[in-house]
Amino acid sequence: KMQMQLGVWLLFAGCVVEGLWSPQSAARLRALRAGESDVVEYTDFEAAEAAAIAACSAGEYEKSLALFEEALRLPGDGYDVRRVSMRTSPVNGATVPNDFEPVRFASASQQQTTWFNVACVRAKMKEEDKALEALEKAFALGFDDYDLALGETDFAEVAADVAKLVDKYRPKSFVETLLGFNPLKPQPK
């Protein structure tokens, strides 16, 4: 019991310190307090994303959103290095990097796809405004499968708004930029 209380406190403190507190974090805390042992700790993006997709397929939309949110914070395909120590160069005495440690994070492609999936889940939950915000975030991050967005059945209720977002983010052709309109697209009268 004492370990469970310590675990709940550490989860809460960690979320507050990292600025990650959300309704999903609150749901997770309630599950821990209730003693649910089926709370899974994911260690990488792919595992959390797969669980999020499975939860969405099962109609567990809140759980799916929480898992997508978690996936974005976990190590993914993105890679960089962080300098962890410095030393003095024997050549000129300048300070130079000595040791590096690898840093993994969700790649741009993984972030784009996740935000598109969040938009789909929000649309299924009838949260159209939040769905459009998530879709716009996906486009802003570089998601460019515009035909998929336009054909997505989850966006049926907001198809006109999705079309406006696609028009905003889809690159314009040279002719369209030059003329200010697309001569092959029917113009409103």
Side-chain angles (χ1 to χ4, degrees):
K1 178 110 175 139
M2 181 67 160
Q3 283 182 321
M4 178 63 76
Q5 288 175 343
L6 180 61
V8 168
W9 172 248
L10 289 175
L11 174 66
F12 173 74
C15 289
V16 170
V17 168
E18 293 182 30
L20 302 175
W21 191 253
S22 68
Q24 290 81 13
S25 300
R28 193 166 193 193
L29 256 179
R30 283 191 297 278
L32 279 173
R33 284 189 189 132
E36 292 180 12
S37 60
D38 63 341
V39 176
V40 177
E41 290 290 326
Y42 296 97
T43 58
D44 65 5
F45 176 91
E46 290 81 9
E49 180 189 41
I53 291 169
C56 181
S57 296
E60 299 173 332
Y61 302 133
E62 289 292 334
K63 180 178 180 181
S64 178
L65 287 174
L67 288 167
F68 278 128
E69 182 181 294
E70 184 175 351
L72 288 170
R73 291 191 298 264
L74 293 171
D77 292 341
Y79 178 83
D80 203 351
V81 292
R82 177 177 33 231
R83 187 176 338 154
V84 292
S85 68
M86 302 292 285
R87 66 176 171 82
T88 304
S89 170
V91 176
N92 61 6
T95 304
V96 294
N98 189 33
D99 293 316
F100 297 95
E101 71 179 10
V103 178
R104 309 277 320 175
F105 50 88
S107 68
S109 176
Q110 289 172 324
Q111 292 177 42
Q112 296 163 13
T113 304
T114 298
W115 283 108
F116 181 82
N117 288 333
V118 166
C120 291
V121 174
R122 293 281 187 194
K124 287 176 184 288
M125 296 172 68
K126 305 294 185 211
E127 296 178 356
E128 288 86 3
D129 289 341
K130 290 182 179 181
L132 291 170
E133 287 173 16
L135 183 60
E136 184 158 18
K137 189 157 190 170
F139 286 147
L141 288 168
F143 185 84
D144 62 356
D145 195 341
Y146 304 110
D147 293 332
L148 176 65
L150 290 170
E152 180 59 58
T153 57
D154 293 335
F155 301 143
E157 300 287 321
V158 290
D161 295 318
V162 170
K164 287 178 189 174
L165 280 176
V166 167
D167 283 343
K168 178 180 175 181
Y169 284 95
R170 187 189 301 250
K172 309 291 185 248
S173 69
F174 173 74
V175 172
E176 192 173 355
T177 303
L178 186 65
L179 297 176
F181 67 95
N182 185 344
L184 300 176
K185 184 177 177 184
Q187 300 299 315
K189 295 182 180 185

